[in-house]
Amino acid sequence: MSKASQLGVGRFGGGARPVSARRQAVAAATGVPTEGVAPPTELPPQRISLNPDNPRSSLGDLTDLAGSLQTHGQKQAITVMNRDAYIKANPERETDLEPDTTHVVIDGSSRLAAAREAGLTTIKVMVSDDQGANSEELLESALVANIHRQDLSELDEARALQRLLAIHGSQTALAKRLHRSQGWVSQRLSLLSLTPELQARIGEEPIDLLRAVGSKPPEQQQTVLEALKQERARKDAEKQGRKRKKQAKTDAPATQAAEKADGYYGVIEGDGSDESSTPSPRREAADDPARTGEGAPTLPVQSTAAEATAGGGERQPKRFPYEDGESAAMYLIRKMPPDEFDKMLDELIKHRESRAVSAG
C-alpha cells in the first residue's frame, strides 16, 4: 500500500474520493462525472452555489472586480465544498442552495458573483469538504476568512460575531477561538447596542468612537459621542500646534537670515546729489562718468563706519549692504515690488552679459 493510500486524501484534495449516493444523483442530474475523479481545480461559475450563510449581507458593486477578472485574470482560487458535504453539515439549508449546482462557495462569494457578471466560463477553485461538521463551523470559517481580509462591513462583522457568541458561550471563549482579544470582540459587538440612528451613521462617524458609546445607555449615546468628538478635535488642535512649533524651530535659521537682511536697512544712502556733504573717495568714483560709464545711473553708495557715526556720535541707520550680495538680494526680494524686481533683474543680466563680452 502506498504512503498516500495510508495517509488518505488531504484537506484540499489531491486524489480520488469515494462518491456518495447524493453526489451520484447530482452527477446524473448535471452530467458532471464524479466517480474516481480528483477534486476539480476549475469549475463553471454556474455549477457553484452562493452560500446562504455568507456573513456579508450585501456583495456590493462588483463592477470593478468583474473588470479586473476580465483584464488581469483570477489571482486566487475560491474555496468550495461539495454540495453533498455542505448539505450534510447544513441539512436545513438544502432548499436555499441554487439548483443544478455541484459545489457551494465557502470563501470567495464576491469573486464568484463577479466571475458570473464578467461572463467567465470557469473559475479557479480549491475543494475542501473539511471546512466544518456543522453550520456553526462553516460560519466560523467564512467569518475568519473575511476578518483577515477586512472584507466585512462593521455591522455584518458584529452580527456574525453575535451568532458565534451564542455557540461559544462567552466573549473570552470566542476570542480564544478567533485568536483575538476579548476587548476586540467586545468592541465590535458594542455596535449592536447603538441606537438605530447611530447605526445608520456607521461609515460617517469615527468607528472607534461609535464602538466606545455602544456601551452607554441609548439616551446618552448621542451626547457622549459629541463630547468624544470635541475632545478629539481639541487634542488634534494641540497636536497641530506642537507640530507648528517644531516646524518653526526647524525653520529658525532661515528666518534669522532673512531678518538679518531685512534689519539693514531703515534707509538707503542717498544718490549723491547732496552737495553739502563731503564726498568720500568711493562716492567720487560713483559720480565720475569716466569710471562708471557715460550715462550710467548713479547708485547709492555704502558709507564707511566713520561716516555712519559722524555727526554728534549718534548711531546712524545701517546702509544698504553693497559688500554682501546675498543679503542685498534677500532684502530686495522681500521689499521690492515684483514688477520692479523683474526690471532690475533684467538690467543685472544685461550688465553681466556685457561684462562677459568685454572680458572676452
Side-chain angles (χ1 to χ4, degrees), residues 133-159:
N134 51 54
S135 59
E136 290 79 13
E137 291 186 12
L138 283 172
L139 172 65
E140 187 175 277
S141 296
L143 175 63
V144 169
N146 280 280
I147 285 174
H148 284 296
R149 284 201 309 269
Q150 297 181 338
D151 203 26
L152 286 175
S153 72
E154 288 82 0
L155 271 181
D156 283 345
E157 183 181 55
R159 293 182 183 117

Side-chain angles (χ1 to χ4, degrees), residues 5 41 75 80 95 141 145 154 166 171 177 183 202 207 210 235 248 284 300 303 315-316 324:
S5 299
T41 57
K75 304 300 182 184
V80 301
T95 57
S141 296
E154 288 82 0
Q171 292 186 12
R177 181 68 177 174
I202 291 176
I207 191 63
L210 289 174
K235 290 182 178 180
E284 288 177 342
S303 298
R315 183 172 181 81
Q316 301 298 314
D324 186 350

